[in-house]
Amino acid sequence: MSERVVPVVVVGAGPTGLTAATLLAQHGVDCLILERWEGVYAQPRAVHLDGEIHRILAHLGIADEFAAISRPCLGLRLLDRNMRILTEFHRDPGPGVHGYPEANMFDQPQFEEILRANLERYPGASLRGDVEVTGLAHDKTGGIRVDFTDRSTGVHESVRTRYVLGCDGANSMVREQIQATMRDLKFEQRWLVVDVATTADLGEWEGVHQVCDPVRAATYMRIGKTRYRWEFRLKPGESAEDYREMARLHPLISPWTRNTPAEDLELVRLAEYTFRARIADRWRDRHVFLLGDAAHLTPPFIGQGMGAGMRDAMNLAWKLAGVLRGDLPESALDTYEIERKPHALALIRRAKFVGMAMTEGGELGNLIRRVALPLLHRVPGLSDKIMDNETPALRRSSLIERSRLRRSRAGRLIPNPVLDEGRRFAEVVAGRFAVVTSVSPTTEQRTAIEQRGGTVLLARPDTDLHRWIRRGRARAVIVRPDGTVLRSGNELSALCAALPRFHTDHSPTILTQ
């Protein structure tokens, strides 16, 4: 019997793998996901995603479903070890620059159920669970044989593919197969992670509570209608086993549960995690790519671990579709690591800095925090900067033409405002290249854009997009299918000539804001 052949195999059906497969399917690329577990992994893990990732969920078509299971986070409260408030940063729960709340709390198993159900809408994407991928082998034609074993029957099988996406987590088999290694960024802390369910009203402020203390740092957050998450830094010699009984755990969580009886608190999950900062030395071997935790591990202090993997998928999927379709050269795939690796590294370093600032330094650190943190609100604009979720611009690549202008928009995500017809920018552009311009294109320019599969959006004066473009000292920008600006400038004819060829099923349109 001949082996099955599929353009892309995705190893791992976590949020990163499911996002990558869905994006590929939206571009008409058939793919097979191979997952070790038969169903959704039942234990909660990630609990936060930002407005940029919520925007990706809208691209997947599940923004409303996610909103129904999530709750906007109201900000950040920093406390000392005696639970006294050192400072507090408030966040508007309404839509931010990406069109969605800037901080969203959720339960990961519920989220993954939504991702899986959404994937079923695409017949070109299939998910095979309860299998163990055992090996990858490149052939002389550039294809790859993926070997796997059915864990229930023990039967060995294989599939042939052109590309493999390794979305198989921190202990990635795919990373091992391509002989990539993880670079240690010198951060390691052991934490106890606790999830509790209760119908009791704890009456706590619904932002993140961070206890800043080198001895017993802690984090509290409400993640659902009846779900709560605590994280406690473990002391030397402690382990999760010391807190399996609610009688031992209750003193840790009681500052938040107060008068709620222990018997009204259901322990959903208790686990020990080692928070690490690591990044793979390389993310690619020929047609094999690493995404998510297989490529990078981020301490949780700024809530960007899961989101980084979904950014990987958003960056790579459209490029892979363009190469498979013949619109983009194979070299376009080189831009994935060039763009994503420095971005992921910057967020890892930011998370490491925040974590150390809140949990290290001994008694001197506590003294500095006690004196300095209450003064932060006196620094003009600092609170807004701390609450700002904007991530760094992507580095220059063959698909990002960065200029030397400090305010250049190239490499940054374009805002996602509501347009005249009531839909947001990303929904209207729908995975195409777009030229967003403050000056009307000529008939020839419009035709050139349409022939390349792109669309045009006219940004009228006094609109959000017009102001955003002009603040970047430009009159127009080219926006990629992932929402990133490829190039900005003042000469519309030059931008039209630089627009890559990239066709989708959408018909060219002329839009206005």
Side-chain angles (χ1 to χ4, degrees), residues 192-194 196 202 219-220 228-232 253 256-257:
L192 180 71
V193 179
V194 180
V196 168
L202 301 188
T219 308
Y220 159 85
Y228 300 85
R229 160 72 59 90
W230 283 269
E231 297 169 354
F232 299 95
I253 65 176
W256 293 272
T257 59

Side-chain angles (χ1 to χ4, degrees), residues 1 9 42 335 340 362 405 434 448-449 486 500:
M1 185 174 63
V9 168
T335 66
R340 285 295 306 136
L405 292 176
I449 293 168
L486 184 154

